[in-house]
Amino acid sequence: MTADLWHFLSGTPGDTPVATDGARVVSAGALRTAALSVADRLGPDEAPVFLYCEDAANFAAGLIGALCAGREVLLPGHAAPDYLREIGVHPAAFVSDLKGVEAIAVSAFDARPSGETFSPPEGRLGFFTSGSSGEPKLCRKMLRQLAAEVAVQRRLWGAPGGVVTGTVSHQHIYGLLFRVLWPLAAGVPFFSRQHETWEALAGCLDPGGVIVSSPAHLSRIPAALRLPHVPSAIFSSGGPLPLEAAARASAQFGVTPEEILGSTETGGVAWRRQTGKDIPWTALPEVDIRADEVGALAVRSPFTGHDGFLSMGDAVVIATDGRFTLNGRLDRIVKVEGKRVSLPRVEDALKDLPDIADAAAIDLPARQGALGAAVVLTAEGEETLAAMGRFRYSRHLRALLKARLEPMECPRFWRFVPRVPENAQGKRVAAEMRALFKSAELPQIDASDIDGERARFELRLQPELRWFEGHFPGQPILPGVAQLHIAALLAERTWGLVFDGRDMSRIKFKRVMQPEEHISLTLVKDGPRLDFQYSREGEVVASGTIRGHS
């Protein structure tokens, strides 16, 4: 089975294309040459090799080369410097295509094709995941386990109908299996660069191509995007795919995604195609499932490396036909942007910052599963918060975390609290934590003065306002529609006016409004007419007229 996975190393002509970056092609002969070069430079040693490459063709060459050198291959999840140091990466055993780092360099695109063929030996890989303790957890897999899973992929879906491209990283097991190993085993080229945007992916999709994506990306398909060709298949894994995202992909791309359930420890477990509501999961061939003693999904298969059942931590209901549905996580490992995130690990990183005395992290389903952090500051932290303001200070803390955590591990929403909420038993309750992060619709009213049909409000634009979410990432502003809504809502509360938004005039937005700014809002009612004016330090920043009815 492993020999079938690597057939292109010994049984494929050297000029056969195996990968492309859109401008260049890597042949089987070039990949073999690059792999042998890595093996020669590694030399005989029993120490494991760390492999991190941005390009999947270079990754494949580095992986094969390290296996040929008889080395175990460990795959960092990302390349933040502090994280690499934390897991023990050192230059003599680091294979990478990153620029400006000390490593054994690998480049499949620069390799000269040769006719030399070989078969790599059986080997072992290690994937770094988030363990329950908060430290990066190493999950080891024998190559034969991955080969068995690729054989099941081919059994279910055959060979890819065209070049395989995707939005997920090959450093993680799902991307490695679907973006690299499956096409290699099937003799179909893969696109070597990971796409960050759908527009970039659309620009290189070939007829019959396969898209390997995630719920995070499939939930953000631009409404106007159209692909140049109908893909032969779309795959999604890493977390539950919302039904509306599956429907949108089907409507825009002409293909309903194949959703894969699994984890690094278990490998692939089940699949489904969400053509309607409440579609259950079907176990993959060779996979046995059951509910364990606490009602969690437990899995046994040749992909796990264990003889017994492994619990996945998801509450499960198994139907009489063997298909099943999931009812949420039972532990503190959550999925953010399709990747496993350990909340204890995030909390440890927060508490290691000098300004933070205590912290708790929570996933926020109402905000697309992003993380929130409730933080208790030290005295020095309180002083810095007062000096910088909540918005800039939270961005400052997030920047400090980036050296240790992946972007999706860094909290997006922040609350600075005197203590982390706990119940009578001293437990942190998820519902109480999430209640801290409910969106605010109105700015904080510091003062108000209502005199007949004229009202003035002194407002603070707190960062928690829901209008700032996603508008715009990294530099939020209060959008014009929000300014109209706030004025209308305060007028309704003050005088009972109701606005339908159809009659507006003389609307002017002169300057952007940002988090933490103190703004004066003046409202003047004249029958059903409402004049509004926002000002800052005497300068008018927005004004206009809207009409409503009592």
Side-chain angles (χ1 to χ4, degrees):
M1 187 176 294
T2 304
D4 293 339
L5 179 63
W6 302 119
H7 70 92
F8 63 92
L9 296 178
S10 57
T12 299
D15 59 356
T16 303
V18 295
T20 179
D21 66 357
R24 302 169 295 173
V25 172
V26 174
S27 66
L31 191 63
R32 296 192 290 245
T33 299
L36 290 174
S37 174
V38 170
D40 288 342
R41 282 178 287 166
L42 283 172
D45 198 324
E46 294 184 355
V49 171
F50 292 86
L51 171 64
Y52 183 91
C53 291
E54 292 184 336
D55 185 281
N58 296 336
F59 172 90
L63 174 63
I64 296 165
L67 292 173
C68 286
R71 310 284 280 272
E72 179 184 22
V73 186
L74 306 183
L75 306 179
H78 58 100
D82 287 358
Y83 166 77
L84 293 179
R85 284 191 290 271
E86 183 181 2
I87 63 176
V89 174
H90 55 93
F94 186 32
V95 177
S96 181
D97 61 1
L98 293 173
K99 305 299 183 184
V101 301
E102 289 188 81
I104 296 172
V106 56
S107 176
F109 290 95
D110 296 329
R112 182 172 299 175
S114 72
E116 187 172 358
T117 62
F118 58 92
S119 296
E122 176 65 73
R124 187 167 69 171
L125 283 69
F127 298 87
F128 285 95
T129 68
S130 296
S132 59
S133 67
E135 297 298 323
K137 178 184 175 183
L138 184 59
C139 177
R140 289 183 163 89
K141 294 276 185 176
M142 298 304 296
L143 191 58
R144 61 176 175 270
Q145 294 169 238
L146 302 181
E149 195 160 352
V150 171
V152 165
Q153 291 174 246
R154 297 184 68 182
R155 179 175 163 186
L156 278 177
W157 297 293
V163 174
V164 177
T165 187
T167 65
V168 296
S169 171
H170 50 268
Q171 294 287 142
H172 301 277
I173 191 168
Y174 164 58
L176 172 59
L177 286 166
F178 279 79
R179 271 192 61 207
V180 179
L181 298 185
W182 179 37
L184 284 178
V188 175
F190 61 86
F191 197 88
S192 64
R193 305 299 291 183
Q194 177 184 348
H195 294 292
E196 300 294 337
T197 67
W198 282 105
E199 290 82 359
L201 185 148
C204 70
L205 184 69
D206 291 333
V210 170
I211 297 173
V212 181
S213 192
S214 68
H217 283 90
L218 288 167
S219 297
R220 297 197 294 261
I221 301 172
L225 180 72
R226 296 294 180 269
L227 298 179
H229 309 285
V230 176
S232 60
I234 300 173
F235 291 91
S236 175
S237 190
L241 178 65
L243 176 60
E244 58 270 24
R248 189 182 308 118
S250 179
Q252 288 188 232
F253 299 162
V255 177
T256 301
E258 307 279 354
E259 193 176 357
I260 311 299
L261 174 69
S263 71
T264 306
E265 292 81 3
T266 63
V269 172
W271 69 279
R272 68 178 178 180
R273 187 182 300 123
Q274 290 196 83
T275 54
K277 188 177 181 182
D278 299 326
I279 299 295
W281 296 94
T282 299
L284 295 173
E286 314 296 335
V287 175
D288 296 325
I289 64 162
R290 71 181 186 190
D292 66 13
E293 61 276 6
V294 297
L297 176 64
V299 177
R300 180 175 62 188
S301 80
F303 318 146
T304 66
H306 298 272
D307 294 331
F309 282 84
L310 290 181
S311 177
M312 295 189 67
D314 299 281
V316 66
V317 176
I318 302 176
T320 55
D321 63 1
R323 297 187 297 171
F324 62 91
T325 56
L326 300 177
N327 292 323
R329 299 290 297 176
L330 296 174
D331 57 23
R332 296 198 71 218
I333 303 295
V334 300
K335 289 290 183 73
V336 180
E337 296 282 335
K339 295 185 180 179
R340 287 161 52 95
V341 172
S342 165
L343 296 181
R345 170 176 168 79
V346 175
E347 289 166 354
D348 287 346
L350 286 165
K351 287 184 280 192
D352 282 345
L353 297 179
D355 279 0
I356 294 178
D358 194 14
I362 189 71
D363 62 315
L364 303 172
R367 302 194 181 196
Q368 292 77 50
L371 294 188
V375 171
V376 180
L377 297 176
T378 63
E380 292 78 9
E382 291 283 1
E383 292 177 1
T384 307
L385 171 62
M388 297 181 68
R390 290 173 180 265
F391 174 73
R392 290 177 178 81
Y393 187 57
S394 64
R395 301 283 80 76
H396 166 68
L397 294 177
R398 185 176 168 88
L400 293 178
L401 292 173
K402 286 185 177 179
R404 180 169 172 181
L405 302 178
E406 291 194 74
M408 80 288 302
E409 292 179 298
C410 296
R412 285 178 51 200
F413 301 97
W414 298 77
R415 297 294 182 269
F416 300 101
V417 296
R419 65 177 182 84
V420 175
E422 294 179 343
N423 63 13
Q425 291 75 40
K427 302 289 186 181
R428 295 175 178 178
V429 181
E432 295 178 2
M433 286 286 299
R434 293 190 179 107
L436 293 173
F437 297 89
K438 287 185 177 178
S439 296
E441 193 168 38
L442 281 175
Q444 176 180 310
I445 301 175
D446 291 332
S448 63
D449 181 17
I450 301 171
D451 183 10
E453 295 187 337
R454 183 182 183 88
R456 182 180 177 89
F457 300 91
E458 299 298 329
L459 308 175
R460 183 179 74 86
L461 304 182
Q462 70 272 36
E464 303 86 70
L465 276 172
R466 72 181 182 91
W467 309 104
F468 289 132
E469 296 173 22
H471 194 94
F472 297 99
Q475 192 173 7
I477 64 172
L478 189 67
V481 65
Q483 298 175 37
L484 293 169
H485 178 79
I486 291 167
L489 192 57
L490 288 175
E492 180 181 352
R493 292 187 179 186
T494 304
W495 297 296
L497 285 177
V498 178
F499 301 88
D500 58 15
R502 289 181 294 182
D503 192 350
M504 300 178 289
S505 61
R506 298 185 299 169
I507 304 296
K508 296 180 180 179
F509 302 110
K510 298 182 178 181
R511 191 182 67 76
V512 299
M513 290 185 256
Q514 297 179 299
E516 295 289 6
E517 287 190 333
H518 291 268
I519 300 292
S520 296
L521 171 60
T522 299
L523 303 178
V524 178
K525 176 182 173 294
D526 182 7
R529 167 178 159 171
L530 178 74
D531 295 320
F532 71 91
Q533 179 178 284
Y534 289 91
S535 59
R536 180 178 182 275
E537 297 179 347
E539 176 192 4
V540 176
V541 296
S543 62
T545 298
I546 53 180
R547 290 183 178 272
H549 54 86
S550 301

